[in-house]
Amino acid sequence: MNEKMQAVQYVSKFERILNAATEAFAESGYHQTPVSKVAHLAGVADGTIYLYFKNKEELLVRLLQERLGDFIACMRRELSNCKTTEASLRTIVKTHFSYMEQNRSLAIVVRLELRKPNQHVRSAMSGPLLEYFSLIEEVVQQGIERKEIPRINLRTARQLIFGSLDEATTDWVMARNPQALMTCVEPMLTLFKGALRLRKPKGRKQIVTLQKREEDGNADS
């Protein structure tokens, strides 16, 4: 077997194990899930798990790092196409809800592990979460620079946005008969627009008119 084929098989098994662990941890909880259950769902021998991960905790850590990393990469790609603050805020909400809705088991695992005192696991999640926080703050800062948002504390704005999205996702995860998360996009966007006092971006003609008024005012003075 050549090296390329071996690499493909390695990645394939790695992904199968991560997918199986996500389903198992969401169904039974991390502590109640034996490695043998993950192996069974992944279609591999129990010992194969330890060729990829030192122990069950490392499996959980890598799962969170990989999947949250994918989420952040997806968010960054979508944001790169946005031209206004409103478009960026809508993208954050849509991407967050869409990704969690398509990965409900991951949403359950993240919710459970974020609220537990395991410092090693929380540290593993901190990298992707800090990057997410940074993305949100960048959007708000750009809004301020574009004069679409009045000056506001970035940390407070980020806490509002992330906290609202996280709480809505938690309610959805906990509901017995949840409605589709995507139905909450526009109400959530309306909340953010109001809280941030978002203004429509000025067109080029409006900007020129305002600049002329400023110049005329300066000349009169």
Side-chain angles (χ1 to χ4, degrees):
M1 185 182 299
N2 61 41
E3 292 183 2
K4 185 175 181 180
M5 184 66 72
Q6 288 179 328
V8 169
Q9 287 194 353
Y10 182 91
V11 172
S12 175
K13 281 188 180 180
F14 180 78
E15 287 296 319
R16 279 161 49 197
I17 292 170
L18 289 186
N19 290 337
T22 304
E23 295 302 321
F25 294 160
E27 180 183 337
S28 305
Y30 167 71
H31 290 292
Q32 285 70 41
T33 301
V35 169
S36 59
K37 180 173 181 176
V38 176
H40 175 73
L41 290 175
V44 300
D46 293 6
T48 302
I49 302 293
Y50 298 102
L51 297 177
Y52 293 80
F53 310 96
K54 288 189 298 186
N55 49 45
K56 191 171 73 169
E57 184 176 90
E58 185 181 281
L59 170 57
L60 174 61
V61 166
R62 288 295 302 278
L63 183 163
L64 294 170
Q65 289 176 332
E66 293 287 331
R67 296 300 180 249
L68 292 178
D70 291 343
F71 167 65
I72 298 301
C74 177
M75 180 77 74
R76 191 176 290 281
R77 282 195 306 273
E78 295 299 322
L79 284 173
S80 68
N81 298 317
C82 296
K83 305 300 182 185
T84 66
T85 304
E86 181 173 345
S88 295
L89 289 171
R90 178 176 277 104
T91 292
I92 287 174
V93 179
K94 284 182 67 175
T95 304
H96 185 108
F97 285 164
S98 174
Y99 193 89
M100 293 304 165
E101 197 167 71
Q102 293 171 23
N103 298 275
R104 183 176 173 84
S105 292
L106 175 65
I108 293 172
V109 175
V110 169
R111 177 196 168 275
L112 291 173
E113 298 310 320
L114 261 179
R115 290 159 176 76
K116 288 183 179 177
N118 187 321
Q119 193 58 43
H120 187 201
V121 174
R122 289 177 66 88
S123 295
M125 297 175 70
S126 66
L129 284 176
L130 288 175
E131 189 173 356
Y132 192 13
F133 294 166
S134 178
L135 281 176
I136 294 173
E137 291 183 8
E138 285 173 19
V139 166
V140 176
Q141 180 61 44
Q142 288 170 358
I144 294 172
E145 293 170 359
R146 292 169 175 158
K147 309 297 184 185
E148 295 174 24
I149 295 176
R151 192 160 296 280
I152 187 174
N153 181 278
L154 295 181
R155 187 168 183 267
T156 300
R158 182 256 297 165
Q159 288 175 327
L160 163 73
I161 293 170
F162 177 79
S164 299
L165 294 173
D166 183 54
E167 189 63 30
T169 304
T170 297
D171 287 347
W172 173 74
V173 163
M174 297 296 291
R176 288 187 177 181
N177 298 297
Q179 63 176 349
L181 263 180
M182 293 300 287
T183 63
C184 302
V185 171
E186 291 305 319
M188 188 68 71
L189 180 63
T190 299
L191 170 66
F192 294 161
K193 287 163 64 176
L196 298 173
R197 292 180 289 165
L198 183 69
R199 297 188 285 252
K200 290 286 186 181
K202 294 181 175 65
R204 180 175 177 78
K205 186 174 181 179
Q206 289 176 291
I207 293 172
V208 170
T209 301
L210 289 172
Q211 288 175 338
K212 191 173 187 308
R213 286 178 184 172
E214 290 177 1
E215 292 170 0
D216 292 343
N218 292 334
D220 292 340
S221 60

